[in-house]
Amino acid sequence: MPRRQAGARPATIIDVAREAGVSFKTVSRVLNGERNVREQTRDRVMRAVSTLNYRANHNARNLRTQQSHTICLLHANPSRNYIGEVHLGALQRCQTEGYSLITEDWSAGSGGVLALRSQSRLAGAILTPPLSDDPDLIGELRQHGVPFVRIAPSESAEPGRDVAMDDRTAAGEMTQYLTGLGHRRIGFIRGASTHHQAGLRFEGYRDGLDQAGIPFDRDFVAEGDFTFDSGLAAAEELLDLPQRPTAIFASNDDMAAGVIAACYRRRIQVPQELSVAGFDDTPLAATISPSLTTIYQPSREQASEAVALLLEEIADPSDTPHRELLDYRLVARDSTAPPHA
C-alpha cells in the first residue's frame, strides 16, 4: 500500500486500519487498550500508527470539512437509570474516537435528528429500545441516508449492525436462582409491551419455572412499564393475592425498587418475608436498601460497542446483518434469601 506523502491531511483511524490490513473495530480496540486482540495484530496496528504518524486528537478536528463527527443517541425509555448508563457508555466511546454525542428523546416522535442531517451536522444515529424496532423511524433514517446501529433489537433479517445480550437466558437464570433458594411461588412483573426485551424476559421466567418443575400460574404475573410507579402498583396486586408469592422477579431495577417500596409500606421484611430480584444492575441496584439481587446488563458496554459499530458502518456501509452479543452475569445481593418457613 502506498505511503502517505508529506503535506497530506493527517491520518485517520480508517487509514490506520487499511495500512494494517485489519478492521476499523480492531484498530479501535488496540488504541483503547483492550485485551482481546492477538499480539501480532496489535503490533501490526501500532506499526501502522507509527508509519502514518496517526494522532487520535487530529481525527475529528481535521475532517469536519468533509464529514460530520456528531452522533445522535435516540431514546424513548422511561427508565432514567438505564438511559443514563447507555448515555455514559456512548459518550465515553465518542470522546475516545474524536466524535461528539447528542441525545434526543423520541418518546413523542421528532424531526430534530433529520434536521441535523439536512444541515450536514450528523454522522449517524444509535437507536435504543424500543426505537430499535420502530419501523417508521428506521424507514426515515434509511430514506435520509442516516447510518445507524441498533441496541437490543428483535431478531430479524433487517440489514445492518446491532448489539445485544441474551435476555431470555438471563431471566431464566435468575428464575433458577430463586428456585434454587427454595422458592416455589415466584411472582413476575413484566415490562412495557412495546419493548422486545420485556417479552424475552417473560419467556425466560417461564423457562426457569419449567426447568424447576413448577407449573406456570398466570395469577403470579403482573403488568408493568419499566417505571418505579408501575412496579409499586404491580407489587400491590401480587401482595394482595390470597397466597402471595415468596419472591418477586421484576424485569428491571426500577420496578424492583417499587416492589421494595410496597413491602416497606406493608411492613413486609425483605428478604426475610419476601425476596425481590431485578434486571439491569443500574446504579440504583447497589444504592437502595436492601441492595438488589439483579442481572447485570452490559448497558455501557452495549452503547460503547454500538458507537464502534456505527463508525464501521460509516466507514464501510454494509447490507449484511451483523450482531454483537455481549455477556451478562447474575449479581446476588441482600434482597434475596431462602423463603421464610
Side-chain angles (χ1 to χ4, degrees), residues 18-338:
R18 290 172 179 163
E19 177 75 16
V22 298
S23 71
F24 179 93
K25 187 164 63 175
T26 298
V27 175
S28 179
R29 285 174 173 166
V30 170
L31 296 180
N32 285 328
E34 297 182 20
R35 297 179 180 178
N36 57 337
V37 181
R38 290 187 300 179
E39 198 59 38
Q40 291 180 339
T41 302
R42 190 183 306 277
D43 290 342
R44 197 157 70 245
V45 169
M46 294 313 297
R47 283 198 300 271
V49 168
S50 178
T51 298
L52 298 176
N53 193 27
Y54 170 74
R55 295 183 180 180
N57 61 340
H58 286 167
N59 187 33
R61 188 171 64 245
N62 293 283
L63 285 180
R64 282 196 173 98
T65 58
Q66 300 180 27
Q67 175 181 315
S68 167
H69 279 71
T70 299
I71 291 171
C72 184
L73 176 69
L74 292 163
H75 63 89
N77 193 306
S79 173
R80 293 183 180 179
N81 292 294
Y82 169 76
I83 290 301
E85 290 294 285
V86 171
H87 185 192
L88 184 57
L91 180 61
Q92 289 174 337
R93 190 58 174 262
C94 282
Q95 290 175 337
T96 298
E97 303 291 355
Y99 280 70
S100 298
L101 181 73
I102 59 174
T103 62
E104 186 158 344
D105 187 344
W106 203 269
S107 300
S110 172
V113 65
L114 301 183
L116 284 169
R117 180 62 175 179
S118 67
Q119 297 170 24
S120 299
R121 293 198 292 116
L122 187 66
I126 296 171
L127 310 186
T128 61
L131 300 178
S132 309
D133 291 308
D134 186 326
D136 294 333
L137 175 57
I138 291 172
E140 271 194 282
L141 293 171
R142 291 196 184 283
Q143 179 183 351
H144 288 78
V146 181
F148 64 90
V149 166
R150 300 181 296 167
I151 295 178
S154 59
E155 295 279 357
S156 69
E158 181 77 25
R161 296 173 164 99
D162 64 72
V163 56
M165 63 164 279
D166 192 341
D167 289 79
R168 180 171 181 170
T169 301
E173 185 173 324
M174 177 60 79
T175 306
Q176 291 174 62
Y177 172 76
L178 294 172
T179 62
L181 290 174
H183 294 280
R184 303 286 295 177
R185 300 195 306 275
I186 302 173
F188 185 78
I189 303 177
R190 294 184 57 140
S193 60
T194 54
H195 290 242
H196 177 64
Q197 297 86 350
L200 292 176
R201 294 172 191 181
F202 176 61
E203 290 171 5
Y205 161 72
R206 296 198 61 170
D207 292 342
L209 294 179
D210 287 342
Q211 291 177 19
I214 300 173
F216 171 70
D217 187 340
R218 173 63 65 177
D219 289 341
F220 282 159
V221 178
E223 300 298 324
D225 62 10
F226 287 134
T227 62
F228 173 90
D229 288 342
S230 73
L232 180 63
E236 297 285 2
E237 177 184 332
L238 293 172
L239 295 174
D240 278 339
L241 291 173
Q243 193 173 34
R244 73 188 187 202
T246 61
I248 294 178
F249 175 18
S251 46
N252 84 336
D253 292 344
D254 295 66
M255 295 193 298
V259 176
I260 291 176
C263 290
Y264 177 79
R265 292 181 180 182
R266 292 180 178 232
R267 300 177 184 266
I268 296 173
Q269 292 184 307
V270 177
Q272 293 88 344
E273 297 175 89
L274 181 79
S275 286
V276 180
F279 200 111
D280 286 342
D281 198 26
T282 59
L284 173 69
T287 56
I288 61 175
S289 181
S291 58
L292 185 64
T293 293
T294 187
I295 292 291
Y296 172 76
Q297 175 174 212
S299 303
R300 290 193 196 183
E301 293 90 334
Q302 285 180 333
S304 177
E305 186 68 14
V307 172
L309 290 172
L310 180 59
L311 298 186
E312 280 191 13
E313 179 65 22
I314 293 168
D316 184 20
S318 173
D319 289 332
T320 303
H322 175 79
R323 167 163 290 195
E324 292 284 343
L325 200 62
L326 302 189
D327 292 334
Y328 67 88
R329 65 178 180 271
L330 190 152
V331 183
R333 295 197 178 97
D334 298 335
S335 65
T336 50

